[in-house]
Amino acid sequence: EDLNNPIYKIASFEINDIPLIKYVASKGKPIILSSGIATIEDIKLALETIRAEGNNQIALLKCTSSYPAPDASLNLSAITTLINQFPNAIVGYSDHSVGIRACCVAISRGAKAIEVHFTADKRLTGPDQLLSKNEQEVSEIRDFADFAVKSLGDGVKRPYTSEYQTWKTQRKGLFACRDIDVGELISYENTLLCSPPLGLSPVALEDKAQIHARINIQKGQPITKGKVYHA
């Protein structure tokens, strides 16, 4: 506190030190809570302790507490579990793996915060050099995070403006494959599914209400809404 640091980190091996967590939470500053060797029950108790102090500024990090962490031990799917179980916390990833691939996968899984060990020079001695990231790697992670935010979107499936040109030239519409008389039933037998989509969408033929020609429709013409009626 004397150093006026703006944020605290609770390491995963301290997640069951409830008096420490309570004291840190009482300072009212954001807390990064690592969950490397923690169970779901450990996490729940730690979060309850923090929030009991009126502190809701929490980033919960998925972590594997080995140095370096083998790829098979990363269990990055658990990020989804933490997001679902603790929706009121910012869920992220604390990395102990070699390289940046795990960080990129974590971001793709929805991690909103990434914590890495940093080194200015991997040729230096020290136990964490193998798993630490240098400036270039941190920059690559940041670039991937920017890409992920843009490309993952909001999850709502809908056409985008950028797809309009494809839509207006390639999507299928209904066209008469022969002359169709007034009153005649419109069906797959007297139509073609062609681009561009000038006519009705072919799914109109799947409607239980049958479609009939309101006027004579010549072969090759699009079958538009104004040319038909529902029986």
Side-chain angles (χ1 to χ4, degrees):
E1 273 297 285
D2 292 341
L3 298 175
N4 294 317
N5 56 301
I7 191 168
Y8 280 107
K9 162 72 182 290
I10 301 294
S12 58
F13 52 80
E14 294 169 332
I15 200 166
N16 63 345
D17 190 338
I18 302 304
L20 172 65
I21 294 173
K22 183 176 181 179
Y23 181 73
V24 171
S26 71
K27 300 305 176 182
K29 295 180 179 180
I31 294 175
I32 298 173
L33 180 67
S34 189
S35 63
I37 53 177
T39 63
I40 289 293
E41 288 70 26
D42 291 331
I43 296 171
K44 285 181 179 178
L45 180 56
L47 292 177
E48 288 171 359
T49 300
I50 295 170
R51 290 184 174 128
E53 295 298 318
N55 192 333
N56 291 306
Q57 305 172 87
I58 307 166
L60 173 63
L61 306 186
K62 167 66 182 76
C63 178
T64 300
S65 296
S66 54
Y67 306 83
D71 291 350
S73 73
L74 298 178
N75 192 23
L76 296 175
S77 295
I79 292 172
T80 303
T81 301
L82 295 180
I83 291 172
N84 292 335
Q85 292 216 351
F86 307 106
N88 295 323
I90 295 171
V91 175
Y93 172 62
S94 178
D95 181 64
H96 294 148
S97 69
V98 177
I100 69 169
R101 292 179 299 179
C103 291
C104 294
V105 173
I107 292 168
S108 299
R109 280 280 177 174
K112 301 301 184 185
I114 298 293
E115 179 190 54
V116 298
H117 290 230
F118 180 79
T119 181
D121 188 344
K122 291 192 176 187
R123 295 171 295 182
L124 298 173
T125 59
D128 293 347
Q129 291 299 320
L130 182 61
L131 60 93
S132 295
K133 317 309 180 209
N134 58 27
E135 183 177 358
Q136 178 180 342
E137 289 172 316
V138 171
S139 178
E140 290 173 356
I141 294 170
R142 176 72 264 177
D143 288 345
F144 183 86
D146 290 340
F147 166 76
V149 169
K150 292 178 183 177
S151 62
L152 287 175
D154 59 10
V156 178
K157 183 65 185 80
R158 62 184 183 277
Y160 276 83
T161 303
S162 61
E163 298 177 292
Y164 176 68
Q165 185 63 28
T166 304
W167 179 89
K168 75 175 186 178
T169 59
Q170 301 298 324
R171 191 172 171 89
K172 298 298 183 284
L174 281 178
F175 289 77
C177 67
R178 59 171 175 76
D179 290 343
I180 300 175
D181 297 328
V182 172
E184 187 176 344
L185 176 68
I186 306 297
S187 67
Y188 287 118
E189 282 67 39
N190 54 16
T191 58
L192 290 175
L193 281 58
C194 298
S195 301
L198 301 177
L200 294 173
S201 171
V203 299
L205 297 182
E206 302 298 328
D207 196 328
K208 291 181 179 180
Q210 295 182 328
I211 301 174
H212 294 259
R214 186 185 300 276
I215 61 174
N216 291 326
I217 304 174
Q218 294 181 346
K219 178 180 178 179
Q221 286 188 337
I223 300 175
T224 59
K225 186 176 180 180
K227 297 177 182 178
V228 299
Y229 65 92
H230 288 81

